[in-house]
Amino acid sequence: MVEQLIHTGERIDLVISDQEALDTVFVQEANSTLRIHLFRITKDGQPFNLNDTLHIRHDGTGCRTEIYALFLLRGTDKAALHTRVCHDKGQGTSAQIVKFILADEAQGEFFGEMTIAQDAQKVEAQQSNRNLLLSDTAVMRTRPQLEIYADDVKASHGASTGQLDESSLFYMQQRCLSREEGRRLLLRAFMADVVDTVEDEKKRQELMDAIDGII
Amino acid sequence: MHPQNKIEPRHTASFAMNTLLEIKNLHATIGGKEILKGVDLTIRAGEVHAIMGPNGAGKSTLSAVLTGNPAYIVTEGEVWLKGKNLLEMPAEQRAREGVFLSFQYPVEIPGVSMVNFMRVAVNEKRAYEGKPALSATEFLRLMREKKALVEMADKLNNRSVNEGFSGGEKKKNEIFQMAMLEPCLSILDETDSGLDIDALRIVSNGVNKLKTKENASIVITHYQRLLDYIVPDYVHVLADGRIVKTGSKELALELEEKGYEWLNN
């Protein structure tokens, strides 16, 4: 596992979309900010099997962490993400938005660990995992795990796995859109909070183009 | 024989020419339960037909079946729109042919903006009609013009479809979309439900302004109130999956006074 230190007051913004599995622990010093966007987008002709491990440790107070992850898988693609966010010091915040869209026989797995240490007061930690299954044969496993030892914190998590909303699709068809077009609009809307938060405009456009080529 | 054809058409000579929709002996089920049990109805261009009836009679089922909602299965009968077999078309093709449903419960679609949604919708319909797509300027001008028709706020464009809209806003938004798509047959499913009197007036005004000699409307409602604003040429009563009575707009008043029970006697 690679360890990367983020120095006091530093701000790091990473957009990861290559095909190398991540196996990193980010250690954040006081008042540092880490933003990570992770994209795992299926490619033609090369099914992938990736396990990403992303650990974050707040070693100082007042750290901020944002994790955005989007998995767009089909065929026999398999991907797993394991995040572990350790709030060892107080006054920190963390927010995770993790989304899987699975078609065909793709399999996805999310294991989201979050711990807030006993003296890490005033921490705000959120974790959201939402998944869409586009076929009956796609499989999603999700396991949120929160361990909270401090009293004065705000922590929330939510996980849901579902299908595209039929009533929305019918509404769109009633407004002249084909099911495919409706599906595309709904998928884009589903991904928006991960894609739109990429600050680098050029990268964002590249990602949107790559996604549009698939959906 | 069903009694709904007792009323003579007003323009007998042009009957065949002007027939827009013909429903013949329509039966439909949902989840194996038969809801429509033989509906016959003919609608000509320029007409407004009200469909009234008690809860569970099949009013909303009729609108769902006409618009191609996949949850319902047609087991018998025919529906012809301008001589084309409507039941063979997927839902979007029916819409592109000009069948519009103002939903009783418009669906909220978070993350899809009204402006994007309508741009795709309008241009899909235009492509189907062999017309070129509208330019951005033309499209925005059209949006502005049609919003004014139902007195909708300017900020509509960037809001997500129906998300967080009040009941009245949702119904106005339906009529706005109807104005954008210029359908030949509009089905208004309980458009009056959940509307206060001001919203009812605005929505009805919008519908009335969109009325032409070439298009027609089916107005589904529980209450006579809406028909004070949108005056029907015919009133049909749907009960237990069939049209059991047809009359002029006075029938609605009679129903309001005597209730649906009266029909059973």
Side-chain angles (χ1 to χ4, degrees), chain A residues 47-142:
Chain A
F48 65 76
N49 191 344
L50 272 183
N51 290 309
D52 289 303
T53 306
L54 179 57
H55 291 188
I56 314 287
R57 201 169 75 225
H58 287 189
D59 253 9
T61 56
C63 295
R64 171 153 192 86
T65 306
E66 296 170 37
I67 299 171
Y68 304 89
L70 175 67
F71 292 75
L72 189 53
L73 310 177
R74 65 179 172 189
T76 54
D77 291 338
K78 280 183 190 171
L81 172 64
H82 177 190
T83 62
R84 178 189 288 163
V85 178
C86 300
H87 287 275
D88 288 350
K89 295 283 155 53
Q91 287 102 40
T93 63
S94 68
Q96 300 180 60
I97 298 177
V98 176
K99 295 187 168 182
F100 283 75
I101 299 174
L102 304 171
D104 306 327
E105 283 156 34
Q107 296 193 21
E109 189 176 334
F110 173 61
F111 178 27
E113 281 184 284
M114 197 155 88
T115 61
I116 303 177
Q118 197 167 4
D119 50 1
Q121 303 296 352
K122 307 277 182 200
V123 162
E124 289 187 25
Q126 299 167 8
Q127 182 195 88
S128 154
N129 172 223
R130 290 182 59 207
N131 313 304
L132 274 180
L133 302 181
L134 302 181
S135 75
D136 293 337
T137 44
V139 178
M140 181 68 208
R141 297 180 186 87
T142 178

Side-chain angles (χ1 to χ4, degrees), chain B residues 16-41:
Chain B
M17 291 279 296
N18 284 338
T19 300
L20 196 63
L21 185 79
E22 250 191 307
I23 304 176
K24 294 178 184 170
N25 190 31
L26 186 64
H27 291 248
T29 62
I30 183 165
K33 190 175 189 291
E34 187 170 48
I35 308 289
L36 298 183
K37 302 174 179 175
V39 174
D40 292 273
L41 183 64

Side-chain angles (χ1 to χ4, degrees), chain B residues 70-118:
Chain B
Y72 295 83
I73 297 168
V74 174
T75 51
E76 207 181 326
E78 299 166 21
V79 181
W80 299 88
L81 179 78
K82 294 181 285 186
K84 293 179 187 169
N85 188 344
L86 196 70
L87 298 179
E88 282 184 349
M89 301 176 192
E92 64 269 26
Q93 193 183 349
R94 300 181 196 200
R96 292 168 190 172
E97 284 282 350
V99 178
F100 180 89
L101 173 61
S102 169
F103 284 68
Q104 184 179 0
Y105 303 109
V107 182
E108 297 193 10
I109 313 179
V112 177
S113 71
M114 273 307 295
V115 69
N116 273 344
F117 182 46
M118 276 295 102

Side-chain angles (χ1 to χ4, degrees), chain B residues 220-238:
Chain B
I220 295 172
T221 181
H222 266 294
Y223 303 106
Q224 195 274 333
R225 183 179 75 155
L226 177 65
L227 306 179
D228 286 339
Y229 294 87
I230 303 173
V231 181
D233 299 293
Y234 300 96
V235 173
H236 308 277
V237 180
L238 190 68

